[in-house]
Amino acid sequence: MAKYFDVHPESPQPRTIGTVVASLRSGALIAYPTDSCFALGCQLDNRDGLERIRSIRRLDERHHFTLMCVDFAQLGQFVQLDNNVFRAVKAATPGSYTFILPATKEVPRRLLHPKKKTVGVRIPDHTVTRALLAELGEPLVSSTLVLPGEDEPMTQGWEIKERLDHVLDAVVDSGDCGTEPTTVIDFSGGGPEIVRRGAGDPTRFE
């Protein structure tokens, strides 16, 4: 049964954030708000949490998981960036973009695309998400909360709690966070390739 945490969207309660992060460190899988809809998240080394995300969303091994990072310094530990990519990514963060990039050795193999050895990364522009990441001190392995057979992501914390109570450990709710997933930009081939048009303005990468 998932615990439900009601968090203030602009001034997240430190004690609540601490409780959620303690559960993440104990192996929890959570649903949490971002600047572009809810996401599923677990700790980097949580193998069981990763498999639970795959099961909930029915994902295959080619799915790009996203490392949700608190800042650019943290992001740079997990992906390789040349100067041109560095400038392009830096200019668009924080924001509703996910970038697919070659991973460093810091990323567990099970998170990588099996052929490309890439991973998704992003820096969210959302107060509650950033509070969780700052307290955790490492990226959250994340995937947009869209259920199999549905076109729209889930948007209401109470509904997530109701429908996924048996497969989640916690739901973090801070009110409405939108319905549009991130814009996904793939830099693994050198130049930017727009993989998905979403909440972030894609024109800067065209």
Side-chain angles (χ1 to χ4, degrees), residues 129-164:
T129 318
R130 293 172 71 83
L132 287 170
L133 292 170
E135 180 72 16
L136 184 62
E138 65 178 70
L140 265 177
V141 177
S142 295
S143 184
T144 304
L145 212 177
V146 182
L147 295 182
E150 298 188 7
D151 296 326
E152 294 286 325
M154 299 184 74
T155 60
Q156 302 293 330
W158 62 267
E159 184 189 9
I160 294 168
K161 159 80 169 156
E162 200 171 76
R163 293 184 63 184
L164 300 178

Side-chain angles (χ1 to χ4, degrees), residues 51 61 77 85 125 149 157 197:
E51 290 311 311
E61 63 176 11
Q77 298 174 34
V85 175
D125 188 13
R197 294 173 186 268

Side-chain angles (χ1 to χ4, degrees), residues 2-53:
K3 294 179 180 177
Y4 183 84
F5 296 95
D6 190 3
V7 181
H8 193 282
E10 295 170 8
S11 303
Q13 305 91 315
R15 180 177 293 182
T16 304
I17 295 296
T19 301
V20 175
V21 168
S23 69
L24 282 165
R25 290 181 177 140
S26 298
L29 173 63
I30 70 169
Y32 69 101
T34 78
D35 51 342
S36 57
C37 60
F38 274 87
L40 298 168
C42 66
Q43 206 172 14
L44 200 60
D45 61 356
N46 186 348
R47 189 186 297 266
D48 175 66
L50 188 70
E51 290 311 311
R52 288 162 70 189
I53 293 174

